Amino acid sequence: MSMLLRRLLMGLVAAAISLSAAATSPASKTVDTAAVANSYSMADFTHVRKYDVHVHANNPDTAFLEQARADGFELLSINVDYPDFPSLERQHAIALTLAAKDPQHFHWATTFSMKGFGTPGWTERVNASLARDVAKGALAVKIWKNVGLVEKNADGKLIMLDDPGLAPVAEQVRALGVALIDHQGEPRNCWLPLDQMTTDNDREYFSKHPEYYMYLHPDQPSYEELMRERDRFVAAHPKLRFVGAHLASLEYDVDRIAAFLDRFPNATVDMAARMSQVQYQSVRDREKVRNFFIRYQDRVMYGTDLTFAADADPAEFRREAHRVWSSDWRYLATGESQRVDMIDADVPGLALPRAVVDKIYYANAVRVFAAPRPGLAD
Ligand SMILES: [Zn+2]
């Protein structure tokens, strides 16, 4: 066989192989190849600037900070009036200690107690404490799910987020020029029987916390009721920089998160502790979830809910933080697959474009949690 003929034949074989590959692989394959070429890899994880906007540093040890620095993260540690956490005073003191040690990497959000709500002087006291905390460096104020699910007024009724008594506090947060982080209600799984929940983390949490497991408390507000209260609150404060923690508790459906963000242009959401619900959806329709992040690239912020407990072993916690951060990076930033036990599935990475990752992981947080500029609060 002449050299020319052999080359020609080889060329024909190669053409046939590539044709058959094109014919058998789904159209999305071409998109994927392009997407992966345009995305980060695991090797980029450490050096790309990142911000975890939802953590709880309840331990003054510097281990959390050190791991954040090693993995290229800044942290926003959120104080919460949660009975399982150290006292508010203690959380506050830890935040100030760590922020003083490394103000570049450690940021914090303050909160307030609902104790005495509705009694004379409560609003003034809370608003004065928020002003003091913002002056000390707090970049946001947190309202927790105890509003709507736990705290009751003098008549024994649950205090809802759109209670007129909370409006002056919301206005104070706006006037101080910081963000309001709101954790409203629970994931929708909380209203379902255990065997209908979509993720193991919800199954675990609600079997351990029957007091927050709404399926067991039909007398409590429904999921939709809580979402409506929250929407009324956001609508009533259009100038507030509103952050819906945990994907605004709409984690089960990216279309619902999209509708929320469309309706409230000043709102953003964090992803804390809801990655598996997003992965659950992307296993079923990867392009839909990927398109959601691309479309709302300015409105979603990366967060984990990593909690460094007072009694945790620092070395073990560092390993856990690194494991969670690397796994989330693999999913959002790269095209690599990984096993996710919480949903018992192999989850392919979204390989989001680099520019989108840069916003979700950093730029949006820097914008939303910017230090307040007096006089520019509006
Ligand atoms: Zn949290």
Side-chain angles (χ1 to χ4, degrees):
M1 206 189 298
S2 78
M3 193 63 118
L4 184 68
L5 190 59
R6 193 179 297 169
R7 257 198 220 138
L8 235 155
L9 273 174
M10 279 171 67
L12 275 174
V13 169
I17 289 171
S18 74
L19 261 176
S20 79
T24 53
S25 61
S28 64
K29 209 70 184 174
T30 344
V31 177
D32 277 358
T33 321
V36 169
N38 186 25
S39 68
Y40 287 118
S41 71
M42 285 313 288
D44 297 310
F45 168 70
T46 310
H47 70 83
V48 174
R49 287 187 98 172
K50 299 179 293 301
Y51 203 136
D52 185 335
V53 302
H54 192 137
V55 303
H56 303 285
N58 293 338
N59 186 323
D61 190 286
T62 53
F64 203 170
L65 250 178
E66 285 162 41
Q67 194 58 45
R69 279 197 293 260
D71 285 341
F73 273 98
E74 292 178 34
L75 304 174
L76 181 74
S77 181
I78 305 176
N79 287 186
V80 189
D81 194 9
Y82 179 25
D84 287 10
F85 279 3
S87 70
L88 284 182
E89 294 70 29
R90 179 75 185 140
Q91 291 180 51
H92 183 96
I94 292 169
L96 289 179
T97 305
L98 292 173
K101 284 207 166 109
D102 188 347
Q104 232 75 59
H105 292 91
F106 190 92
H107 316 283
W108 60 289
T110 186
T111 191
F112 56 91
S113 164
M114 290 294 289
K115 211 173 287 163
F117 176 81
T119 61
W122 181 85
T123 313
E124 292 72 15
R125 247 189 351 265
V126 167
N127 283 354
S129 77
L130 297 181
R132 271 198 306 276
D133 291 349
V134 169
K136 282 190 254 173
L139 297 182
V141 174
K142 166 86 168 209
I143 295 188
W144 193 53
K145 68 183 179 189
N146 55 344
V147 174
L149 288 176
V150 179
E151 298 292 335
K152 294 187 172 158
N153 62 21
D155 302 331
K157 289 212 174 98
L158 284 170
I159 301 161
M160 302 311 267
L161 187 60
D162 66 338
D163 189 296
L166 281 168
V169 177
E171 281 311 299
Q172 168 74 334
V173 176
R174 183 199 58 76
L176 290 169
V178 294
L180 182 101
I181 305 168
D182 169 60
H183 174 175
Q184 172 79 341
E186 294 284 15
R188 199 183 61 145
N189 279 338
C190 176
W191 280 264
L192 301 176
L194 287 172
D195 63 349
Q196 285 176 33
M197 291 188 183
T198 49
T199 66
D200 279 351
N201 48 328
D202 283 339
R203 257 187 288 273
E204 265 165 43
Y205 180 83
F206 292 115
S207 38
K208 276 189 204 142
H209 290 94
E211 72 277 27
Y212 300 130
Y213 183 17
M214 291 302 123
Y215 178 69
L216 303 176
H217 307 283
D219 51 316
Q220 293 276 74
S222 70
Y223 173 76
E224 293 301 340
E225 210 176 322
L226 288 163
M227 296 303 101
R228 279 196 299 274
E229 307 279 356
R230 188 266 320 282
D231 290 355
R232 273 201 288 273
F233 174 86
V234 186
H237 305 283
K239 288 183 174 172
L240 191 60
R241 240 183 287 154
F242 183 90
V243 180
H246 310 296
L247 294 172
S249 293
L250 302 168
E251 73 298 319
Y252 74 99
D253 183 359
V254 291
D255 285 341
R256 266 201 85 168
I257 307 169
F260 172 78
L261 293 172
D262 286 344
R263 183 171 167 204
F264 302 113
N266 219 14
T268 50
V269 291
D270 82 36
M271 304 179 69
R274 299 294 179 267
M275 199 65 79
S276 57
Q277 280 94 342
V278 176
Q279 290 168 334
Y280 181 89
Q281 292 167 71
S282 80
V283 164
R284 282 147 187 85
D285 191 343
R286 180 177 175 277
E287 282 314 294
K288 181 180 175 180
V289 172
R290 190 169 186 275
N291 289 336
F292 164 79
F293 282 110
I294 293 172
R295 175 136 191 238
Y296 295 93
Q297 57 185 274
D298 296 305
R299 315 288 298 281
V300 181
M301 293 182 286
Y302 177 73
T304 56
D305 220 3
L306 277 166
T307 300
F308 187 19
D311 58 355
D313 172 62
E316 201 176 300
F317 179 77
R318 282 189 66 155
R319 279 194 294 278
E320 170 67 4
H322 180 71
R323 189 193 62 74
V324 169
W325 284 334
S326 316
S327 159
D328 291 346
W329 178 264
R330 191 180 302 274
Y331 171 60
L332 293 168
T334 84
E336 292 183 27
S337 278
Q338 63 186 312
R339 184 80 195 159
V340 175
D341 290 338
M342 282 179 199
I343 57 168
D344 195 22
D346 290 318
V347 181
L350 295 180
L352 292 171
R354 288 173 189 227
V356 173
V357 168
D358 291 346
K359 287 180 178 180
I360 291 174
Y361 264 96
Y362 193 73
N364 296 343
V366 169
R367 184 187 77 237
V368 171
F369 300 113
R373 289 170 295 170
L376 291 176
D378 283 335

